Amino acid sequence: MLWILASLFFLWCAYREIRNSVVAPPGFDAPSPISKPYLAMVLALALLFAWPTVHTWYFQWFLSTKATELADHHRAIVHCNTTFDTMLDTEMLAAGHANPRTGKIGIQHPWCDILMGYLRHPRRASEKELERLDIFTHESMHIRGEMNEALTECEAVQRNYRAAKLLGVPDVTAKKNALDYYNVAYRQRGRIGGMQGAYYSDQCAPGKSMDEHLPDSTWATP
Ligand SMILES: [Zn+2]
């Protein structure tokens, strides 16, 4: 928000410079000639300050279209929370949350940035970044209509490969990333138990009752 205000201020400076070259400014008899270096500078600053916001808007739009696709075309609207949004969020402690009635997915700060980082270097994905990919798929599954956490998480585990590919990760890396999440982080949840245990089921495995037998499942053998 502050960035946008700064950007608007520089746009206003540019507007004032152009206006003064057409209409005489107060106290002057004639319009003053336009200063091209000044105009270029304020326009460049306006663009620079607008960039983070425009980039976040673009990323939210990109995630929304991909989440909609993952949710079998139930419309999803992804919002990347800023630190301020997170403070005001009633579900502040959850990394993400989704409402299947409105299609809204809220992602807490700084998880969108972590996801962006993952997409820049998927081959060097950290455990945290893979977790982030899974949260994105998990929330999309809520939009698809599932609210039971263990089932939602298992649907996500089976679709993380599809999700990574939709987000632009190359095929082989997407498969490896999705399997790494399933074999390491997911299984860890079962061992930790408690809150984490609610997201885990030993039935979430190839051939077990939660296997949806998706042709492009994370664990399907090609
Ligand atoms: Zn959930």
Side-chain angles (χ1 to χ4, degrees), residues 96-98 138-139 142 146-150 152-153 199:
H97 51 79
H138 178 105
E139 301 309 338
H142 281 319
E146 184 56 62
M147 289 317 277
N148 173 289
E149 291 299 355
T152 304
E153 182 60 9
Y199 290 82

Side-chain angles (χ1 to χ4, degrees), residues 62-77:
F62 173 73
L63 291 182
S64 301
T65 57
K66 303 303 170 188
T68 303
E69 223 168 310
L70 279 172
D72 297 336
H73 299 282
H74 291 80
R75 195 166 132 72
I77 306 154

Side-chain angles (χ1 to χ4, degrees), residues 83-188:
T83 320
F84 187 64
D85 292 334
T86 297
M87 284 192 306
L88 296 180
D89 200 312
T90 48
E91 292 177 68
M92 190 174 143
L93 293 177
H97 51 79
N99 183 336
R101 278 186 300 279
T102 58
K104 282 193 180 145
I105 297 179
I107 293 171
Q108 305 299 24
H109 186 79
W111 290 96
C112 271
D113 295 342
I114 295 174
L115 185 58
M116 258 187 232
Y118 163 65
L119 295 177
R120 273 194 296 268
H121 53 244
R123 278 203 299 171
R124 290 185 284 115
S126 66
E127 206 173 306
K128 206 173 185 170
E129 286 167 346
L130 293 184
E131 221 173 277
R132 182 57 207 92
L133 168 70
D134 179 75
I135 291 170
F136 170 70
T137 320
H138 178 105
E139 301 309 338
S140 306
M141 293 303 99
H142 281 319
I143 299 301
R144 192 164 157 267
E146 184 56 62
M147 289 317 277
N148 173 289
E149 291 299 355
L151 284 170
T152 304
E153 182 60 9
C154 191
E155 290 172 359
V157 160
Q158 292 170 76
R159 284 171 184 78
N160 278 336
Y161 168 48
R162 186 188 294 178
K165 279 203 301 184
L166 276 175
L167 295 176
V169 176
D171 190 78
V172 178
T173 311
K175 185 86 173 175
K176 185 182 177 299
N177 289 161
L179 275 173
D180 280 351
Y181 177 81
Y182 173 59
N183 288 323
V184 183
Y186 183 70
R187 285 169 199 262
Q188 239 165 34

